[in-house]
């Protein structure tokens, strides 16, 4: 028996609509008429289902369409319209600028001294001709590799290219890296080591990938070594991956599996004798940098092309 005509008219849904299904909020990405009824494909918006995809049949689930016409404006009672001004400012900051925008936008206003060799590293990562940049920052100790990473990530975020970011670092500097990225660059990263993952799992279904819960995560290299967690990590489409102290990595297989799946990869390593600006800029093809343990021209899939500049 078909639904009444007035019910069909009231149910008005199209790609871009927001719906409530199973106590969660979803963004409609597709609508399809099938033999079993209307099929609605969605992407999660609310916290528990954020960025997950699903499909619902109207005949099986109760689907409530959010009607913008029914929204009720609420007056801003804060002093000098503070809340409204804050919302407008945050909206402007979250609006991406063109990806091919020349020059630095936000990294020059962070809590860091203006050093030219650090800006060169950022400019290379943002080069519009390098669609999938892979960069090895091999400055000596104390020259600000973490600051360069923060500058690059903040610029990528301003361009809408750092929605999902993974930072991999040794356990003993994990908290320090997290602190620096937040205090200097306002980049929040959630610590997802074994303890952090177990805490997140308490609020998630057993089948849910814990790394889908937070868009920006920082983990230890030990977590990456775990076969269980590595499988979860590889299922996520990361916008950028940062590998701290990559000269200590011995299992290159895991690194390259992540490298070929992300648009932006950055590795930090201490290179003895390197001066400011000793950056290895990525490109496809065999590795030609010294000390990598692989002969030049071997043809193995590497993601590093050695380019050196500055005082190195």
């Amino acid at each position: 028996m078909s639904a009444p005509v007035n019910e069909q008219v009231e149910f008005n849904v199209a790609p871009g609509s927001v719906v409530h299904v199973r106590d969660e909020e979803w963004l409609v990405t597709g609508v399809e008429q099938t033999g079993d009824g209307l099929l609605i494909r969605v992407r999660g918006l609310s916290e528990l289902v954020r960025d997950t995809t699903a499909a619902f049949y109207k005949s099986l689930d109760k689907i409530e369409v959010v009607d913008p016409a029914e929204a009720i404006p609420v007056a801003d009672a804060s002093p000098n319209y503070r809340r409204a001004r804050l919302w407008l400012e945050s909206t402007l900051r979250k609006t991406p600028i063109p990806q091919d925008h020349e020059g630095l936008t936000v990294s020059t206003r962070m809590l860091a001294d203006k050093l030219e060799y650090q800006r060169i590293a950022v400019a290379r990562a943002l080069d519009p001709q390098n669609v999938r940049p892979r960069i090895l920052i091999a400055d000596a100790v104390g020259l600000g590799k973490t600051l360069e990473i923060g500058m690059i990530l903040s610029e990528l975020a301003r361009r809408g290219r750092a929605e999902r970011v993974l930072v991999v670092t040794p356990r003993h500097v994990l908290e320090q890296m997290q602190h620096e990225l937040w205090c200097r660059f306002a980049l929040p990263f959630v610590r997802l080591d074994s303890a952090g993952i177990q805490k997140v799992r308490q609020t998630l279904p057993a089948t849910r990938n814990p790394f889908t819960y937070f868009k920006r995560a920082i983990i230890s290299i030990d977590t990456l070594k775990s076969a269980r967690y590595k499988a979860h990590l590889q299922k996520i489409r990361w916008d950028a991956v940062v590998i701290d102290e990559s000269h200590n990595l011995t299992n290159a297989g895991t690194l390259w599996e992540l490298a070929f799946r992300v648009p932006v990869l950055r590795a930090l390593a201490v290179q003895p004798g390197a001066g400011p600006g000793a950056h290895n800029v990525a490109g496809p093809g065999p590795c030609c940098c010294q000390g990598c343990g692989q002969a030049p021209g071997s043809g193995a899939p590497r993601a590093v092309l050695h380019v050196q500049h500055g005082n190195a």
Side-chain angles (χ1 to χ4, degrees), residues 12-169:
N12 183 16
V13 63
S17 302
V18 177
V19 296
H20 282 287
V21 187
R22 302 183 184 181
D23 298 326
E24 300 294 342
E25 195 172 73
W26 308 81
L27 175 67
V28 177
T29 58
V31 180
E32 180 182 352
Q33 188 67 44
T34 68
D36 296 323
L38 192 64
L39 176 64
I40 301 177
R41 303 185 185 279
V42 295
R43 188 178 77 246
L45 293 177
S46 52
E47 186 177 23
L48 189 61
V49 296
R50 183 178 297 131
D51 290 337
T52 59
T53 58
F56 301 108
Y57 280 100
K58 183 178 179 297
S59 58
L60 299 178
D61 287 285
K62 182 181 178 181
I63 302 176
E64 299 178 359
V65 183
V66 178
D67 188 359
E70 297 180 359
I72 301 176
V74 179
D76 184 4
S78 61
N80 297 323
Y81 306 103
R82 182 183 302 165
R83 294 179 60 185
R85 291 162 58 194
L86 181 61
W87 180 84
L88 290 172
E89 179 68 18
S90 62
T91 302
L92 289 174
R93 292 192 180 192
K94 289 189 294 185
T95 303
I97 63 174
Q99 295 188 9
D100 58 352
H101 176 79
E102 296 183 0
L104 307 182
T105 57
V106 293
S107 61
T108 55
R109 301 198 298 267
M110 301 301 178
L111 295 177
D113 295 333
K114 297 180 180 179
L115 300 176
E116 187 61 28
Y117 70 88
Q118 292 180 344
R119 294 192 179 190
I120 293 176
V122 181
R124 286 176 178 268
L126 300 176
D127 188 352
Q129 296 182 358
N130 195 357
V131 181
R132 293 171 58 88
R134 274 96 173 98
I135 295 181
L136 173 62
I137 300 178
D139 292 339
V141 178
L143 292 179
K145 295 183 292 297
T146 302
L147 296 181
E148 294 175 20
I149 287 299
M151 294 171 67
I152 293 173
L153 290 178
S154 61
E155 290 291 343
L156 289 174
R158 188 66 183 90
R159 288 161 172 77
R161 297 174 56 190
E163 189 71 11
R164 283 196 172 275
V165 181
L166 175 67
V167 176
V168 183
T169 182

